[in-house]
């Protein structure tokens, strides 16, 4: 089971040995985009496998080759809401578990100087509020991007929201707790702090650049 932190009742950290093994490989500066993408998707799948354990189901009887038995099916559609760009790096790993999931996109880029979120694109299914919505982004730094995305989804009527990130900074978890205490945050690591450029330390650098091979561009 994921671990908790007394400072942040909204946070669950996956301390599973396999997730931590893959996260350490991902953090390594020598890991190239091909492996970075594979590891990120694998971790995302492992995290979502665990956090979806109580998703709503409905009973369904199943005819096996021998007899009929009681089964169950997920009862509501699942929607993924990756925050562009870097959230896309976790989407395939989650889709392997939920191939029927809908995907809504929200494009947000941090302003380099103010670190405030700038929203440049949004597109969600009409009935996005029907069923659980997983907001997906590897990095929760100041929390500005996540708060902005969740504000938007709540305006669309979503109530069953969960934030899935890879590395979280205490500052970002605190901001989400203040602004959206009803939204649980799932992470593979709670790192030490933000630096003067609002980068997570120790972190893994710029996730979008490492996924898409644009470091230094
Ligand atoms: C990164 C990251 C988050 C955001 C986190 O995206 O993927 O979306 O920063 O920072 P915050 O918590 O301080 O808002 P970035 O703005 O670099 O855009 P990109 O994904 O297009 O690279
Ligand atoms: N965005 C990133 O990609 N990395 C950070 O450390 C902070 C924001």
């Amino acid at each position: 089971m994921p671990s908790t932190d007394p400072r942040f009742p909204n946070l669950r950290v996956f301390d599973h040995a396999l997730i931590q093994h893959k996260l350490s490989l991902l953090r390594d500066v020598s890991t190239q985009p091909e492996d970075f993408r594979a590891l990120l998707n694998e971790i995302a799948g492992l995290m979502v496998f665990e956090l979806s354990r109580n998703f709503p189901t409905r009973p369904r009887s199943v005819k096996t080759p021998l007899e009929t038995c009681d089964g169950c099916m997920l009862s509501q559609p699942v929607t993924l809401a990756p925050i562009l760009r870097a959230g896309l790096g976790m989407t395939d790993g989650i889709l392997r578990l939920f191939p029927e999931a809908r995907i809504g996109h929200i494009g947000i880029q941090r302003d380099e100087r103010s670190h405030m979120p700038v929203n440049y694109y949004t597109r969600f299914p009409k009935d996005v509020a029907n069923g659980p919505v997983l907001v997906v982004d590897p990095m929760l730094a100041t929390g500005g991007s996540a708060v902005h995305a969740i504000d938007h989804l709540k305006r669309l009527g979503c109530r069953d929201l969960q934030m899935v990130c890879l590395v979280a900074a205490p500052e970002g978890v605190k901001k989400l707790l203040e602004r959206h205490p009803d939204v649980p945050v799932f992470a593979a690591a709670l790192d030490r702090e933000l630096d003067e450029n609002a980068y997570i330390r120790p972190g893994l650098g710029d996730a979008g650049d490492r996924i898409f091979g644009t470091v230094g561009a």
Side-chain angles (χ1 to χ4, degrees), residues 110 139 141 198-200 205-208:
R110 286 201 319 185
M139 309 308 277
Y199 268 75
I200 302 175
D206 186 304

Side-chain angles (χ1 to χ4, degrees), residues 81-180:
I83 300 179
L84 309 182
R85 287 179 299 169
L88 290 176
M90 299 169 77
T91 308
D92 283 349
I94 303 173
L95 279 177
R96 273 184 215 121
L97 304 182
F98 294 99
E100 303 91 5
R102 299 95 56 85
I103 307 177
H105 293 90
I106 182 157
I108 302 176
Q109 186 154 29
R110 286 201 319 185
D111 179 85
E112 275 184 17
R113 257 189 292 211
S114 69
H115 309 135
M116 296 299 288
V118 179
N119 186 177
Y120 58 87
Y121 182 79
T122 43
R123 196 157 177 96
F124 286 98
K126 247 195 185 134
D127 62 343
V128 61
N130 182 15
V133 179
L134 304 181
V135 182
V136 178
D137 191 329
M139 309 308 277
L140 180 66
T142 67
S145 303
V147 164
H148 188 92
I150 293 167
D151 283 346
H152 183 85
L153 285 159
K154 284 192 173 173
R155 282 196 296 274
L156 296 178
C158 299
R159 292 294 170 265
D160 185 357
L161 288 155
Q162 324 206 23
M163 179 74 212
V164 188
C165 54
L166 194 72
V167 180
E171 293 87 339
V173 182
K174 182 165 177 279
K175 183 179 281 186
L176 269 182
L177 180 62
E178 286 162 2
R179 302 283 290 274
H180 294 294

